[in-house]
Coordinates of all heavy atoms in Angstrom, one line a residue:
M454 N 0.8 -1.2 0.0 CA 0.0 0.0 0.0 C 0.9 1.3 0.0 O 0.6 2.2 -0.6 CB -0.9 0.0 1.2 CG -1.9 1.1 1.2 SD -3.1 0.9 2.5 CE -3.5 2.5 2.9
L455 N 2.0 1.2 0.7 CA 2.9 2.4 0.8 C 3.5 2.6 -0.6 O 3.7 3.8 -1.0 CB 3.9 2.1 1.8 CG 4.9 3.3 2.1 CD1 4.1 4.5 2.6 CD2 5.9 2.9 3.2
A456 N 3.8 1.6 -1.3 CA 4.4 1.7 -2.7 C 3.4 2.4 -3.6 O 3.8 3.2 -4.4 CB 4.8 0.4 -3.2
R457 N 2.1 2.1 -3.5 CA 1.1 2.7 -4.3 C 1.0 4.2 -4.0 O 0.9 5.0 -4.9 CB -0.3 2.1 -3.9 CG -0.9 1.5 -5.1 CD -2.4 1.2 -4.7 NE -2.7 -0.1 -5.3 CZ -3.7 -0.8 -4.8 NH1 -4.4 -0.4 -3.8 NH2 -4.0 -2.0 -5.4
I458 N 1.1 4.6 -2.7 CA 1.0 6.0 -2.4 C 2.3 6.7 -2.9 O 2.2 7.8 -3.4 CB 0.9 6.2 -0.9 CG1 -0.5 5.6 -0.4 CG2 1.0 7.6 -0.4 CD1 -0.6 5.5 1.1
Q459 N 3.4 6.1 -2.8 CA 4.7 6.7 -3.3 C 4.6 6.9 -4.8 O 5.0 7.9 -5.3 CB 5.8 5.8 -2.9 CG 7.2 6.4 -3.3 CD 8.3 5.4 -2.8 OE1 8.1 4.4 -2.4 NE2 9.5 5.9 -3.1
D460 N 4.1 5.9 -5.5 CA 4.0 6.0 -6.9 C 3.1 7.2 -7.3 O 3.3 7.9 -8.3 CB 3.5 4.7 -7.6 CG 4.6 3.6 -7.6 OD1 5.7 4.0 -7.5 OD2 4.2 2.5 -7.7
A461 N 2.0 7.3 -6.6 CA 1.0 8.4 -6.9 C 1.6 9.8 -6.6 O 1.4 10.7 -7.4 CB -0.2 8.2 -6.0
L462 N 2.4 9.9 -5.6 CA 3.0 11.2 -5.2 C 4.4 11.5 -5.9 O 4.9 12.6 -5.8 CB 3.2 11.3 -3.7 CG 1.9 11.2 -2.9 CD1 2.2 11.2 -1.4 CD2 1.0 12.4 -3.3
E463 N 4.9 10.5 -6.6 CA 6.2 10.7 -7.2 C 6.2 11.7 -8.3 O 7.2 12.3 -8.6 CB 6.8 9.3 -7.7 CG 8.2 9.3 -8.0 CD 8.7 7.9 -8.2 OE1 9.0 7.2 -7.2 OE2 8.9 7.6 -9.4
G464 N 5.2 11.8 -9.1 CA 5.0 12.8 -10.1 C 5.6 12.4 -11.4 O 6.2 13.2 -12.1
Q465 N 5.5 11.2 -11.8 CA 6.0 10.7 -13.1 C 5.1 11.1 -14.2 O 3.9 10.7 -14.3 CB 6.2 9.2 -13.1 CG 7.2 8.7 -12.2 CD 8.6 9.0 -12.7 OE1 8.9 9.1 -13.9 NE2 9.5 9.2 -11.7
I466 N 5.6 12.0 -15.1 CA 4.8 12.3 -16.3 C 5.8 12.3 -17.5 O 7.0 12.4 -17.3 CB 4.1 13.7 -16.3 CG1 5.1 14.9 -16.2 CG2 3.1 13.8 -15.1 CD1 4.5 16.2 -16.3
D467 N 5.2 12.0 -18.7 CA 6.1 11.9 -19.9 C 6.3 13.3 -20.5 O 5.8 14.3 -20.1 CB 5.5 10.9 -20.8 CG 4.1 11.2 -21.3 OD1 3.8 12.4 -21.5 OD2 3.3 10.3 -21.5
F468 N 7.1 13.2 -21.6 CA 7.4 14.5 -22.3 C 6.2 15.2 -22.9 O 6.1 16.4 -22.9 CB 8.5 14.2 -23.3 CG 9.8 13.8 -22.7 CD1 10.4 12.6 -23.0 CD2 10.5 14.6 -21.8 CE1 11.6 12.2 -22.5 CE2 11.7 14.3 -21.2 CZ 12.2 13.0 -21.6
K469 N 5.3 14.4 -23.5 CA 4.1 15.0 -24.1 C 3.2 15.5 -23.0 O 2.5 16.5 -23.1 CB 3.4 13.9 -24.9 CG 4.1 13.6 -26.2 CD 3.3 12.8 -27.1 CE 4.1 12.5 -28.4 NZ 3.4 11.7 -29.3
G470 N 3.2 14.9 -21.8 CA 2.5 15.3 -20.6 C 3.0 16.7 -20.2 O 2.3 17.6 -19.8
Q471 N 4.3 16.8 -20.2 CA 4.9 18.1 -19.8 C 4.6 19.2 -20.8 O 4.3 20.3 -20.4 CB 6.5 18.0 -19.8 CG 7.0 17.1 -18.6 CD 8.5 16.9 -18.7 OE1 9.1 17.4 -19.6 NE2 9.0 16.2 -17.7
Q472 N 4.5 18.9 -22.0 CA 4.1 19.8 -23.1 C 2.7 20.3 -22.8 O 2.3 21.4 -23.0 CB 4.3 19.3 -24.4 CG 4.1 20.2 -25.6 CD 4.4 19.6 -26.9 OE1 4.4 18.4 -27.1 NE2 4.6 20.4 -27.9
M473 N 1.8 19.3 -22.5 CA 0.4 19.6 -22.3 C 0.2 20.4 -21.1 O -0.6 21.4 -21.1 CB -0.4 18.3 -22.1 CG -1.9 18.5 -22.1 SD -3.0 17.1 -21.9 CE -2.0 15.7 -21.9
T474 N 1.0 20.2 -20.0 CA 0.8 21.0 -18.8 C 1.3 22.4 -19.0 O 0.7 23.3 -18.5 CB 1.6 20.4 -17.6 OG1 2.9 20.2 -17.9 CG2 1.0 19.0 -17.2
E475 N 2.3 22.6 -19.8 CA 2.8 23.9 -20.1 C 1.8 24.7 -20.9 O 1.5 25.9 -20.6 CB 4.1 23.8 -20.9 CG 4.7 25.2 -21.2 CD 6.0 25.1 -22.0 OE1 6.6 24.0 -22.1 OE2 6.5 26.1 -22.4
L476 N 1.2 24.1 -21.9 CA 0.1 24.7 -22.6 C -1.1 25.0 -21.8 O -1.6 26.1 -21.9 CB -0.3 23.9 -23.9 CG -1.4 24.4 -24.8 CD1 -0.9 25.7 -25.4 CD2 -1.8 23.4 -25.8
L477 N -1.5 24.1 -21.0 CA -2.7 24.3 -20.1 C -2.4 25.4 -19.1 O -3.3 26.2 -18.9 CB -3.0 23.0 -19.3 CG -3.9 22.0 -20.0 CD1 -4.0 20.7 -19.2 CD2 -5.3 22.5 -20.2
T478 N -1.2 25.5 -18.6 CA -0.9 26.5 -17.6 C -1.0 27.9 -18.3 O -1.7 28.8 -17.7 CB 0.6 26.3 -17.1 OG1 0.6 25.1 -16.4 CG2 0.9 27.4 -16.1
T479 N -0.4 28.0 -19.4 CA -0.5 29.3 -20.1 C -1.9 29.7 -20.5 O -2.3 30.8 -20.2 CB 0.3 29.2 -21.4 OG1 1.7 28.8 -21.1 CG2 0.3 30.5 -22.2
V480 N -2.7 28.8 -21.0 CA -4.0 29.1 -21.5 C -4.9 29.4 -20.2 O -5.7 30.4 -20.2 CB -4.6 27.9 -22.3 CG1 -6.1 28.1 -22.5 CG2 -3.9 27.8 -23.6
L481 N -4.8 28.6 -19.2 CA -5.7 28.8 -18.0 C -5.4 30.1 -17.3 O -6.3 30.8 -16.8 CB -5.6 27.6 -17.1 CG -6.2 26.3 -17.6 CD1 -6.0 25.2 -16.6 CD2 -7.7 26.5 -17.8
L482 N -4.1 30.4 -17.2 CA -3.7 31.7 -16.5 C -4.1 32.9 -17.3 O -4.6 33.9 -16.7 CB -2.2 31.7 -16.2 CG -1.8 30.8 -15.1 CD1 -0.3 30.8 -14.9 CD2 -2.4 31.1 -13.8
I483 N -4.0 32.8 -18.6 CA -4.5 34.0 -19.5 C -6.0 34.1 -19.3 O -6.5 35.2 -19.1 CB -4.0 33.8 -20.9 CG1 -2.5 34.0 -21.0 CG2 -4.8 34.7 -21.8 CD1 -2.0 33.6 -22.4
F484 N -6.7 33.0 -19.4 CA -8.1 33.0 -19.3 C -8.6 33.5 -17.9 O -9.5 34.4 -17.8 CB -8.7 31.6 -19.6 CG -10.2 31.5 -19.6 CD1 -10.9 32.1 -20.6 CD2 -10.8 30.9 -18.5 CE1 -12.3 32.0 -20.6 CE2 -12.2 30.9 -18.5 CZ -13.0 31.4 -19.5
S485 N -8.0 33.0 -16.9 CA -8.4 33.5 -15.5 C -8.0 34.9 -15.3 O -8.8 35.6 -14.6 CB -7.8 32.6 -14.4 OG -6.4 32.7 -14.4
G486 N -6.9 35.4 -15.8 CA -6.5 36.8 -15.7 C -7.5 37.7 -16.4 O -7.9 38.8 -15.9
A487 N -8.0 37.3 -17.6 CA -8.9 38.1 -18.4 C -10.3 38.1 -17.7 O -10.9 39.2 -17.6 CB -9.1 37.5 -19.8
I488 N -10.7 37.0 -17.1 CA -12.0 36.9 -16.4 C -11.9 37.8 -15.1 O -12.8 38.6 -14.8 CB -12.3 35.5 -16.0 CG1 -12.6 34.7 -17.2 CG2 -13.5 35.4 -15.0 CD1 -13.8 35.1 -18.0
A489 N -10.7 37.7 -14.4 CA -10.5 38.6 -13.2 C -10.6 40.0 -13.5 O -11.2 40.8 -12.8 CB -9.2 38.2 -12.5
F490 N -9.9 40.4 -14.7 CA -10.0 41.8 -15.1 C -11.4 42.3 -15.4 O -11.8 43.3 -15.0 CB -9.1 42.0 -16.3 CG -9.1 43.4 -16.9 CD1 -8.4 44.4 -16.2 CD2 -9.8 43.6 -18.0 CE1 -8.5 45.7 -16.8 CE2 -9.9 44.9 -18.5 CZ -9.3 45.9 -17.9
L491 N -12.1 41.4 -16.2 CA -13.5 41.8 -16.5 C -14.4 41.9 -15.3 O -15.2 42.9 -15.2 CB -14.1 40.8 -17.5 CG -13.5 40.9 -18.9 CD1 -14.0 39.7 -19.8 CD2 -13.7 42.2 -19.6
V492 N -14.3 41.0 -14.4 CA -15.1 41.0 -13.2 C -14.8 42.3 -12.4 O -15.7 43.0 -11.9 CB -14.9 39.8 -12.3 CG1 -15.4 39.9 -10.9 CG2 -15.5 38.5 -13.0
G493 N -13.5 42.6 -12.2 CA -13.1 43.8 -11.5 C -13.5 45.0 -12.2 O -13.9 46.0 -11.5
Y494 N -13.4 45.1 -13.5 CA -13.8 46.3 -14.2 C -15.3 46.5 -14.2 O -15.7 47.6 -14.0 CB -13.3 46.1 -15.7 CG -13.6 47.3 -16.5 CD1 -12.7 48.4 -16.4 CD2 -14.6 47.4 -17.4 CE1 -13.0 49.6 -17.2 CE2 -14.9 48.5 -18.2 CZ -14.0 49.6 -18.1 OH -14.3 50.7 -18.8
I495 N -16.0 45.4 -14.3 CA -17.5 45.6 -14.3 C -18.0 46.0 -12.9 O -18.8 46.9 -12.7 CB -18.2 44.3 -14.7 CG1 -17.9 44.1 -16.2 CG2 -19.7 44.3 -14.4 CD1 -18.4 42.7 -16.8
Q496 N -17.4 45.4 -11.9 CA -17.8 45.7 -10.5 C -17.0 46.9 -9.9 O -17.4 47.4 -8.8 CB -17.5 44.5 -9.6 CG -18.4 43.3 -9.9 CD -19.8 43.5 -9.7 OE1 -20.2 44.2 -8.7 NE2 -20.6 43.0 -10.5
Q497 N -16.0 47.4 -10.6 CA -15.2 48.5 -10.2 C -14.6 48.2 -8.7 O -14.7 49.1 -7.8 CB -16.0 49.8 -10.2 CG -16.3 50.3 -11.5 CD -15.1 50.7 -12.3 OE1 -14.3 51.5 -11.9 NE2 -14.9 50.1 -13.5
D498 N -14.0 47.0 -8.6 CA -13.5 46.6 -7.3 C -12.2 45.8 -7.5 O -12.2 44.7 -8.0 CB -14.6 45.7 -6.6 CG -14.2 45.3 -5.2 OD1 -13.2 45.8 -4.7 OD2 -14.9 44.6 -4.6
I499 N -11.1 46.5 -7.1 CA -9.8 45.8 -7.2 C -9.7 44.6 -6.3 O -9.0 43.6 -6.7 CB -8.6 46.8 -7.0 CG1 -7.3 46.3 -7.4 CG2 -8.6 47.3 -5.6 CD1 -7.1 46.1 -8.8
H500 N -10.3 44.7 -5.2 CA -10.3 43.6 -4.2 C -10.9 42.3 -4.9 O -10.4 41.2 -4.8 CB -11.0 44.0 -2.9 CG -10.8 43.0 -1.8 ND1 -11.8 42.2 -1.4 CD2 -9.7 42.8 -1.0 CE1 -11.3 41.4 -0.4 NE2 -10.1 41.8 -0.1
L501 N -12.0 42.5 -5.5 CA -12.7 41.4 -6.2 C -11.8 40.9 -7.4 O -11.7 39.7 -7.6 CB -14.0 41.8 -6.7 CG -14.9 40.8 -7.3 CD1 -15.2 39.7 -6.3 CD2 -16.2 41.4 -7.8
T502 N -11.1 41.8 -8.1 CA -10.2 41.4 -9.1 C -9.1 40.5 -8.6 O -8.8 39.4 -9.2 CB -9.6 42.6 -9.8 OG1 -10.6 43.4 -10.3 CG2 -8.6 42.2 -10.9
L503 N -8.5 40.8 -7.5 CA -7.4 40.1 -6.9 C -7.9 38.7 -6.5 O -7.2 37.7 -6.7 CB -6.8 40.8 -5.7 CG -6.0 42.1 -6.1 CD1 -5.5 42.8 -4.9 CD2 -4.9 41.8 -7.0
W504 N -9.1 38.6 -5.8 CA -9.6 37.3 -5.4 C -10.0 36.4 -6.6 O -9.8 35.2 -6.5 CB -10.8 37.5 -4.5 CG -10.4 37.8 -3.1 CD1 -10.6 39.0 -2.4 CD2 -9.8 36.9 -2.2 NE1 -10.0 38.9 -1.2 CE2 -9.6 37.6 -1.0 CE3 -9.4 35.6 -2.3 CZ2 -9.0 37.0 0.1 CZ3 -8.8 35.0 -1.1 CH2 -8.6 35.7 0.1
A505 N -10.5 37.0 -7.7 CA -10.8 36.2 -8.9 C -9.5 35.7 -9.5 O -9.4 34.6 -9.9 CB -11.6 37.1 -9.8
G506 N -8.5 36.6 -9.5 CA -7.2 36.1 -10.1 C -6.6 35.0 -9.2 O -6.0 34.0 -9.7
L507 N -6.7 35.1 -7.9 CA -6.2 34.1 -7.0 C -6.9 32.8 -7.2 O -6.3 31.7 -7.2 CB -6.3 34.6 -5.6 CG -5.8 33.6 -4.5 CD1 -4.3 33.4 -4.7 CD2 -6.0 34.2 -3.1
A508 N -8.2 32.9 -7.3 CA -9.0 31.7 -7.5 C -8.7 31.0 -8.9 O -8.5 29.8 -8.9 CB -10.5 32.0 -7.6
G509 N -8.4 31.8 -9.9 CA -8.0 31.2 -11.2 C -6.6 30.6 -11.1 O -6.4 29.5 -11.7
T510 N -5.7 31.2 -10.4 CA -4.4 30.6 -10.2 C -4.4 29.3 -9.4 O -3.8 28.3 -9.7 CB -3.5 31.6 -9.5 OG1 -3.4 32.8 -10.3 CG2 -2.1 31.1 -9.3
A511 N -5.3 29.3 -8.4 CA -5.4 28.1 -7.5 C -6.1 26.9 -8.4 O -5.6 25.8 -8.3 CB -6.3 28.3 -6.3
A512 N -7.1 27.3 -9.2 CA -7.7 26.3 -10.1 C -6.7 25.7 -11.1 O -6.6 24.5 -11.4 CB -8.9 26.9 -10.8
T513 N -5.8 26.6 -11.6 CA -4.8 26.2 -12.6 C -3.8 25.2 -11.9 O -3.4 24.2 -12.5 CB -4.1 27.4 -13.1 OG1 -5.0 28.3 -13.8 CG2 -3.0 27.0 -14.1
G514 N -3.5 25.5 -10.7 CA -2.6 24.7 -9.9 C -3.2 23.3 -9.7 O -2.5 22.3 -9.8
L515 N -4.5 23.2 -9.4 CA -5.1 22.0 -9.2 C -5.2 21.2 -10.5 O -5.2 19.9 -10.4 CB -6.5 22.2 -8.7 CG -6.7 22.6 -7.2 CD1 -8.1 22.9 -6.9 CD2 -6.1 21.5 -6.3
V516 N -5.2 21.8 -11.6 CA -5.2 21.1 -12.9 C -3.8 20.6 -13.3 O -3.7 19.5 -13.8 CB -5.8 22.0 -14.0 CG1 -5.6 21.4 -15.4 CG2 -7.3 22.3 -13.7
V517 N -2.8 21.4 -13.1 CA -1.5 21.0 -13.6 C -0.5 20.5 -12.7 O 0.5 19.8 -13.1 CB -0.9 22.2 -14.4 CG1 -1.7 22.6 -15.6 CG2 -0.6 23.3 -13.5
I518 N -0.6 20.7 -11.4 CA 0.4 20.2 -10.4 C 0.3 18.7 -10.1 O 1.4 18.0 -10.2 CB 0.4 21.1 -9.2 CG1 0.9 22.5 -9.5 CG2 1.3 20.5 -8.1 CD1 0.8 23.5 -8.3
P519 N -0.8 18.2 -9.8 CA -0.8 16.7 -9.5 C -0.5 15.9 -10.8 O -0.8 16.3 -11.9 CB -2.3 16.4 -9.1 CG -2.8 17.7 -8.7 CD -2.1 18.8 -9.6
P520 N 0.2 14.8 -10.6 CA 0.5 13.9 -11.8 C -0.7 13.1 -12.2 O -0.7 11.9 -12.0 CB 1.6 13.1 -11.2 CG 1.4 12.9 -9.8 CD 0.8 14.3 -9.4
W521 N -1.6 13.7 -12.9 CA -2.8 13.0 -13.3 C -2.4 12.0 -14.3 O -1.4 12.2 -15.1 CB -3.8 14.0 -13.9 CG -4.3 15.1 -13.0 CD1 -4.0 16.4 -13.1 CD2 -5.1 14.9 -11.9 NE1 -4.6 17.1 -12.0 CE2 -5.3 16.2 -11.3 CE3 -5.8 13.8 -11.3 CZ2 -6.1 16.4 -10.2 CZ3 -6.6 14.0 -10.1 CH2 -6.7 15.3 -9.6
P522 N -3.2 10.9 -14.5 CA -2.8 9.8 -15.4 C -2.8 10.3 -16.9 O -2.1 9.8 -17.7 CB -3.9 8.8 -15.2 CG -4.4 9.0 -13.8 CD -4.3 10.5 -13.6
M523 N -3.6 11.4 -17.2 CA -3.6 11.9 -18.6 C -2.3 12.5 -19.0 O -2.0 12.6 -20.1 CB -4.7 12.9 -18.8 CG -4.5 14.2 -18.0 SD -5.9 15.3 -18.3 CE -5.4 16.6 -17.2
Y524 N -1.4 12.8 -18.0 CA -0.1 13.3 -18.3 C 1.0 12.2 -18.5 O 2.1 12.5 -18.7 CB 0.4 14.2 -17.2 CG -0.5 15.4 -17.0 CD1 -0.7 15.9 -15.7 CD2 -1.0 16.1 -18.0 CE1 -1.5 17.0 -15.5 CE2 -1.9 17.2 -17.8 CZ -2.1 17.6 -16.6 OH -2.9 18.7 -16.4
N525 N 0.6 11.0 -18.4 CA 1.6 9.9 -18.6 C 1.1 8.8 -19.5 O 1.1 7.6 -19.2 CB 2.0 9.3 -17.2 CG 3.2 8.5 -17.3 OD1 4.0 8.6 -18.2 ND2 3.4 7.6 -16.3
Q526 N 0.5 9.2 -20.6 CA -0.1 8.3 -21.6 C 0.9 7.8 -22.6 O 0.7 6.9 -23.4 CB -1.3 8.9 -22.3 CG -2.5 9.1 -21.3 CD -3.6 9.7 -22.1 OE1 -3.6 10.1 -23.2 NE2 -4.8 9.8 -21.4
N527 N 2.1 8.5 -22.7 CA 3.1 8.1 -23.7 C 4.5 8.0 -23.1 O 5.4 8.7 -23.3 CB 3.2 9.3 -24.8 CG 1.9 9.5 -25.4 OD1 1.3 8.6 -26.1 ND2 1.4 10.7 -25.3
P528 N 4.6 7.0 -22.2 CA 5.9 6.8 -21.5 C 7.0 6.4 -22.4 O 6.8 5.8 -23.5 CB 5.6 5.7 -20.5 CG 4.5 4.9 -21.1 CD 3.7 5.9 -21.9
E529 N 8.2 6.9 -22.1 CA 9.4 6.6 -22.9 C 9.9 5.2 -22.6 O 9.8 4.7 -21.5 CB 10.5 7.6 -22.6 CG 10.2 9.0 -23.0 CD 10.1 9.1 -24.5 OE1 10.9 8.5 -25.2 OE2 9.3 9.9 -25.0
R530 N 10.4 4.5 -23.6 CA 11.0 3.2 -23.4 C 12.5 3.4 -23.3 O 13.2 3.9 -24.2 CB 10.7 2.3 -24.6 CG 9.3 2.0 -24.7 CD 9.0 1.0 -25.8 NE 7.6 0.9 -26.1 CZ 7.0 0.3 -27.1 NH1 7.8 -0.2 -28.1 NH2 5.7 0.2 -27.2
W531 N 13.0 3.1 -22.1 CA 14.4 3.2 -21.8 C 15.2 1.9 -22.1 O 14.6 0.9 -22.0 CB 14.6 3.7 -20.4 CG 14.0 5.0 -20.2 CD1 12.7 5.2 -19.6 CD2 14.5 6.3 -20.5 NE1 12.4 6.5 -19.6 CE2 13.5 7.2 -20.1 CE3 15.6 6.8 -21.1 CZ2 13.6 8.6 -20.2 CZ3 15.8 8.2 -21.2 CH2 14.8 9.0 -20.8
L532 N 16.5 2.0 -22.3 CA 17.2 0.8 -22.4 C 17.3 0.0 -21.1 O 17.3 0.7 -20.0 CB 18.7 1.1 -22.9 CG 18.8 1.7 -24.3 CD1 20.3 2.1 -24.5 CD2 18.4 0.7 -25.3
A533 N 17.4 -1.2 -21.1 CA 17.5 -2.0 -19.9 C 18.9 -1.7 -19.3 O 19.9 -1.5 -19.9 CB 17.5 -3.5 -20.2
P534 N 18.9 -1.7 -17.9 CA 20.2 -1.4 -17.2 C 21.1 -2.5 -17.4 O 20.8 -3.7 -17.5 CB 19.8 -1.2 -15.8 CG 18.5 -1.9 -15.6 CD 17.8 -1.8 -17.0
T535 N 22.4 -2.2 -17.5 CA 23.5 -3.2 -17.6 C 24.3 -3.2 -16.3 O 24.3 -2.2 -15.6 CB 24.3 -3.0 -18.8 OG1 24.9 -1.7 -18.7 CG2 23.5 -3.0 -20.1
A536 N 25.1 -4.2 -16.1 CA 26.1 -4.2 -15.0 C 27.1 -3.1 -15.2 O 27.5 -2.8 -16.3 CB 26.7 -5.6 -14.9
A537 N 27.6 -2.6 -14.1 CA 28.6 -1.5 -14.2 C 29.9 -2.0 -14.9 O 30.4 -3.1 -14.6 CB 29.0 -1.0 -12.8
G538 N 30.4 -1.3 -15.9 CA 31.6 -1.6 -16.6 C 31.4 -2.6 -17.8 O 32.3 -2.9 -18.5
V539 N 30.2 -3.1 -18.0 CA 29.9 -4.0 -19.0 C 29.2 -3.2 -20.2 O 28.2 -2.6 -20.0 CB 29.0 -5.2 -18.6 CG1 28.7 -6.1 -19.7 CG2 29.6 -5.9 -17.5
A540 N 29.8 -3.2 -21.3 CA 29.2 -2.5 -22.5 C 28.1 -3.3 -23.1 O 28.1 -4.5 -23.1 CB 30.3 -2.2 -23.5
V541 N 27.2 -2.6 -23.7 CA 26.1 -3.3 -24.4 C 26.6 -3.7 -25.8 O 27.1 -2.9 -26.5 CB 24.9 -2.3 -24.5 CG1 23.7 -3.0 -25.3 CG2 24.4 -1.9 -23.1
A542 N 26.3 -4.9 -26.2 CA 26.8 -5.4 -27.5 C 26.0 -4.8 -28.6 O 24.8 -4.6 -28.5 CB 26.6 -6.9 -27.5
G543 N 26.7 -4.4 -29.7 CA 26.1 -3.9 -30.8 C 25.9 -2.4 -30.8 O 25.1 -1.9 -31.7
V544 N 26.5 -1.6 -30.0 CA 26.4 -0.2 -30.0 C 27.3 0.4 -31.0 O 28.5 0.1 -31.0 CB 26.7 0.4 -28.6 CG1 26.7 1.9 -28.6 CG2 25.7 -0.2 -27.6
T545 N 26.8 1.3 -31.9 CA 27.6 1.9 -32.9 C 27.6 3.4 -32.7 O 26.5 4.0 -32.6 CB 27.1 1.5 -34.3 OG1 27.0 0.1 -34.4 CG2 27.9 2.1 -35.4
V546 N 28.8 4.0 -32.7 CA 28.9 5.4 -32.6 C 29.6 6.0 -33.8 O 30.8 5.6 -34.0 CB 29.6 5.8 -31.3 CG1 29.7 7.3 -31.2 CG2 28.8 5.3 -30.1
D547 N 29.0 6.8 -34.6 CA 29.6 7.4 -35.8 C 30.2 6.3 -36.7 O 31.2 6.5 -37.3 CB 30.7 8.4 -35.4 CG 30.2 9.7 -34.7 OD1 29.0 10.0 -35.0 OD2 30.9 10.3 -34.0
G548 N 29.4 5.3 -36.9 CA 29.8 4.2 -37.8 C 30.9 3.3 -37.2 O 31.3 2.3 -37.9
V549 N 31.4 3.5 -36.0 CA 32.3 2.6 -35.4 C 31.7 1.8 -34.3 O 31.0 2.4 -33.4 CB 33.5 3.4 -34.8 CG1 34.5 2.5 -34.1 CG2 34.1 4.3 -35.9
K550 N 31.8 0.5 -34.3 CA 31.2 -0.4 -33.3 C 32.0 -0.3 -32.0 O 33.2 -0.5 -32.0 CB 31.2 -1.8 -33.8 CG 30.4 -2.7 -32.9 CD 30.1 -4.1 -33.6 CE 29.2 -4.9 -32.7 NZ 28.9 -6.2 -33.2
V551 N 31.3 0.1 -31.0 CA 32.0 0.4 -29.7 C 32.2 -0.9 -28.9 O 33.2 -1.2 -28.3 CB 31.2 1.4 -28.8 CG1 31.8 1.5 -27.5 CG2 31.1 2.7 -29.5
A552 N 31.2 -1.8 -28.9 CA 31.3 -3.0 -28.1 C 30.9 -4.2 -29.0 O 30.3 -4.2 -29.9 CB 30.4 -3.0 -26.9

């Protein structure tokens, strides 16, 4: 059970998930800022503008900070680990076989 909790809190997301969170962050913050400005302008209340902006920032944080499963749909395939000092057979660098 502890391993499950650790996996959930570890925050593993893939590269496409990182790109999606960056885009979501930008879009949501611009949208919440525009809404906060309009609310404050219509009501003529800077205090209300600040609270609306804070609410939009908090909502954006709830969307992008936790490692939701939608951010890890394209995991990278890494090479299998090898023993220290043992080269992987068949590795070619600039046309020269290393091992």
